[in-house]
Amino acid sequence: MLDLYGTAVSSRLLLGTARYPSPAILADAVRASGAEIVTVSLRRETAGGKAGGAFFALIRDLGVRVLPNTAGCHSAKEAVTTARMARDLFGTNWIKLEVIGHHDTLQPDVFALVDAARTLCDDGFEVFPYTTDDLVVAERLLEAGCKVLMPWCAPIGSAAGPINPVALRAMRTHFPDVPLIVDAGLGRPSHAAAVMELGYDAVLLNTAVALAGDPVVMAKAFATAIDAGRKGFQAGLLSPRDMAEPSTPIIGRAVFS
Amino acid sequence: MRTPGRVLVRGGGVAGLCAAHELHAHGFAVELVERQAEVGAGASGLAGGMLAPYCERESAPEDVLRLGRHASDWWNAVLPGHVVCAGTLVVAPPRDAGELARFAARTEGYEWLDEAGIAALEPSLEGRFRKGLFFREEAHLDPRAALLGLSGRLKAQGVRLHFGATEPPTGRFDHVVDCTGAAAIGAVPGLRGVRGEMLCLETAEVALARPVRLLHPRHPLYIVPRGGGRFMVGATMIESDDAGPISARSLMELLNAAYALHPAFGEARLIEARAGIRPAFDDNLPRVIRDGGTIFVNGFYRHGFLLAPATARQAAHLMQRKAA
């Protein structure tokens, strides 16, 4: 079981709720994936500061834990305000903290991220920061009070997969006891399996499922891949070798045949 | 012919007017009430007016294509001269060219165009895009002109229309058809609002003969020519039933899309920027629901002009069975 701020979670797939063809398909995808946590964007779905309406009711009705996010926020102040709104709206201290620093790549502004994380942790929030794979930033986030880290493996929505496995591996080695969730950049089930094989604790997906031809089948495919990657990691993976190693013993055969 | 009954249609948007037309054609005596004082003042008047069942398949279920395929024939028969059958052009900026392949994989009824093919269709776009998709069978109309035309035709046929009223002045009715759209949120179970924002630009520097969709991974948008140098740019989709004014961000995104399609839109005049609420059920498909004495026709989402003719016919058939 995965422990996130004292909550035991058995599914290692967290699902975003944006950009599905319809709420009905979103609900089916969540069920098919077995996800126990979904994220929802407050900034985007609250026009004119009016909170919620039917869409949020629908999210709550999914019967899964809601991890509100601050997607679309470009400053620490904006992110903190959005997080407080989310706490009132969903009655949870959990917040996926996103502070975007670059409009085009959606790269996090790691300086504002650390500032916002400190403010929110001091205010009793349990913060899930969306960050890069930079180890020093990760250290600062932990110092600020975060107990979970969510590094990207590629830019948001890029579907590029783990573009820097060396950095991801370093992060895992550096923080063996911190739950690490890959957030952003996954495009295919094999990408998810690959990061799980590196020993990551979970992955968070949105676009790869929401914009798939069949989001429900894709949600299931990712869940299966994540499970396979996790089991592979736990079972102990072989290291690559330069030479062949026969899988069948050859005792009894002539050496010079 | 014997009148099968008197029907009150509530709502004078595209759903109500289409329902009134079909009910009248099926022999019912129809009256219609609409709380807005003017035709086209509600969400229908903010629509794109694209009769694009093939393009919509990119994100909509098969039913939208099945029910919407004959919409342009219906509008053309009811309102000759309103429908422009010029197809739809779909393009993407060079860095988002992958989006075109994705769009093509989800749809049918298109042909691939190269740069010369795009220029032949839309000379204003010459040299701006390398590849595009052309959906030849699609059409478009001007929603406000079509709503006015349809209400005029109904009046000429003797259907009494009461705009600016919530109840008819006199009379008893055998049946009620409720087509009140987003106003029914809360009253019709499962109905929610999806906010849409749009704007209109005016420029003489760009000419388009057909709706152009600009694919972009974050903000897929469309521009529909309205004639007279006017262009409708739409539309955002936000899960909210707030009908307040357009946000600065949405305005910026819509303008950005227009600018990306053609820089001359940067010099265009902004003549309108508005927001409305699309009524939708959780599968984003419209429903015809019989509830006691009332038939509800609602949940058109982004497909009012495309699907209202088909659902109006369904409602009329249901009403005939109810009356029999």
Side-chain angles (χ1 to χ4, degrees):
Chain A
M1 293 284 260
L2 175 60
D3 184 321
L4 300 173
Y5 287 104
T7 297
V9 179
S10 57
S11 166
R12 290 170 184 271
L13 168 54
L14 290 74
L15 212 51
T17 56
R19 305 180 74 191
Y20 289 78
S22 69
I25 291 175
L26 160 64
D28 288 347
V30 170
R31 275 190 288 271
S33 72
E36 294 163 26
I37 299 168
V38 298
T39 70
V40 56
S41 158
L42 246 72
R43 188 95 190 135
R44 183 68 191 156
E45 312 295 4
T46 49
K50 184 171 168 179
F55 185 69
F56 290 159
L58 201 136
I59 299 283
R60 281 188 288 252
D61 288 348
L62 292 171
V64 293
R65 182 144 193 161
V66 174
L67 172 59
N69 69 55
T70 63
C73 292
H74 288 255
S75 70
K77 194 172 170 221
E78 212 183 343
V80 167
T81 307
T82 305
R84 290 186 175 139
M85 227 165 81
R87 177 158 66 181
D88 293 342
L89 193 58
F90 288 102
T92 174
N93 284 329
W94 281 16
I95 188 75
K96 184 191 148 193
L97 183 61
E98 267 186 48
V99 186
I100 299 303
H102 192 274
H103 185 75
D104 221 28
T105 61
L106 301 180
Q107 185 154 354
D109 177 338
V110 293
F111 304 96
L113 180 70
V114 172
D115 282 347
R118 196 177 297 121
T119 305
L120 290 171
C121 290
D122 289 349
D123 195 14
F125 280 92
E126 294 172 326
V127 177
F128 295 64
Y130 161 60
T131 182
T132 64
D133 50 27
D134 188 288
L135 297 180
V136 181
V137 173
E139 295 273 16
R140 295 284 183 275
L141 288 167
L142 296 175
E143 284 166 18
C146 298
K147 295 190 165 49
V148 175
L149 295 172
M150 303 183 87
W152 68 357
C153 76
I156 293 177
S158 67
I163 51 178
N164 192 352
V166 176
L168 288 177
R169 200 174 281 127
M171 200 163 190
R172 180 69 286 178
T173 310
H174 224 78
F175 304 106
D177 301 322
V178 178
L180 297 180
I181 303 172
V182 169
D183 176 11
L186 297 167
R188 301 168 177 217
S190 55
H191 295 155
V195 298
M196 293 304 290
E197 285 175 3
L198 292 176
Y200 276 73
D201 294 284
V203 304
L204 190 150
L205 295 165
N206 191 348
T207 312
V209 171
L211 296 191
D214 187 333
V216 180
V217 174
M218 190 58 88
K220 182 89 191 144
F222 267 103
T224 311
I226 288 162
D227 189 43
R230 175 71 187 167
K231 286 197 172 104
F233 171 72
Q234 286 176 314
L237 297 158
L238 294 184
S239 301
R241 302 170 60 98
D242 293 335
M243 304 293 279
E245 182 176 310
S247 53
T248 309
I250 47 170
I251 297 164
R253 283 181 62 184
V255 177
F256 303 107
S257 56
Chain B
M1 187 178 143
R2 193 181 65 87
T3 300
R6 300 190 61 203
V7 183
L8 176 66
V9 174
R10 292 190 185 277
V14 66
L17 292 171
C18 287
H21 182 273
E22 283 297 318
L23 288 162
H24 175 81
H26 283 74
F28 290 92
V30 181
E31 283 194 43
L32 182 148
V33 289
E34 162 59 52
R35 63 176 179 159
Q36 301 279 2
E38 282 173 32
V39 178
S44 299
L46 304 181
M50 292 181 292
L51 304 172
Y54 296 94
C55 281
E56 286 301 306
R57 261 300 269 147
E58 185 255 333
S59 59
E62 180 75 36
D63 278 353
V64 170
L65 177 56
R66 186 175 58 77
L67 295 170
R69 191 174 257 151
H70 304 296
S72 59
D73 293 341
W74 189 94
W75 285 105
N76 208 21
V78 174
L79 292 177
H82 278 258
V83 179
V84 182
C85 298
T88 304
L89 178 62
V90 182
V91 293
R95 55 175 260 179
D96 300 319
E99 296 293 312
L100 269 179
R102 184 183 164 271
F103 197 91
R106 307 275 165 85
T107 53
E108 57 182 278
Y110 58 82
E111 53 209 90
W112 282 98
L113 297 181
D114 59 8
E115 211 170 326
I118 294 170
L121 279 181
E122 297 290 0
S124 280
L125 301 182
E126 182 172 10
R128 298 201 49 76
F129 300 96
R130 300 304 157 256
K131 281 166 97 181
L133 297 166
F134 180 44
F135 292 79
R136 191 179 290 276
E137 297 300 315
E138 297 189 334
H140 69 283
L141 49 69
D142 179 338
R144 287 173 210 170
L147 294 169
L148 266 176
L150 188 49
S151 62
R153 168 143 188 194
L154 288 167
K155 272 188 252 177
Q157 290 171 330
V159 174
R160 295 179 63 196
L161 307 178
H162 310 283
F163 276 76
T166 50
E167 294 299 330
T170 55
R172 275 189 51 251
F173 294 90
D174 305 303
H175 320 282
V176 176
V177 178
D178 189 299
C179 305
T180 51
I185 292 173
V188 174
L191 195 66
R192 75 183 201 286
V194 181
R195 176 178 162 92
E197 297 155 302
M198 55 78 79
L199 51 89
C200 276
L201 296 174
E202 190 173 74
T203 175
E205 290 184 55
V206 187
L208 296 174
R210 56 187 54 75
V212 178
R213 293 185 183 225
L214 181 71
L215 302 185
H216 179 286
R218 268 178 269 165
H219 315 295
L221 295 156
Y222 55 80
I223 298 190
V224 189
R226 290 279 188 253
R230 294 185 170 197
F231 299 86
M232 183 268 193
V233 185
T236 56
M237 300 217 283
I238 298 168
E239 288 286 347
S240 167
D241 54 11
D242 184 308
I246 188 168
S247 72
R249 177 189 293 268
S250 296
L251 182 60
M252 197 168 65
E253 287 172 355
L254 293 169
L255 288 173
N256 248 328
Y259 187 77
L261 188 72
H262 201 298
F265 279 118
E267 301 303 319
R269 305 296 173 129
L270 176 62
I271 54 175
E272 187 180 0
R274 288 176 63 188
I277 302 301
R278 306 177 186 88
F281 291 105
D282 69 351
D283 56 2
N284 293 339
L285 285 171
R287 290 181 196 168
V288 179
I289 304 162
R290 184 172 166 180
D291 180 13
T294 302
I295 290 175
F296 289 90
V297 184
N298 212 322
F300 285 90
Y301 185 49
R302 12 190 288 166
H303 304 127
F305 284 84
L306 183 63
L307 301 184
T311 47
R313 261 196 306 262
Q314 287 174 13
H317 292 156
L318 190 62
M319 188 63 78
Q320 274 185 323
R321 284 201 297 277
K322 182 172 176 263

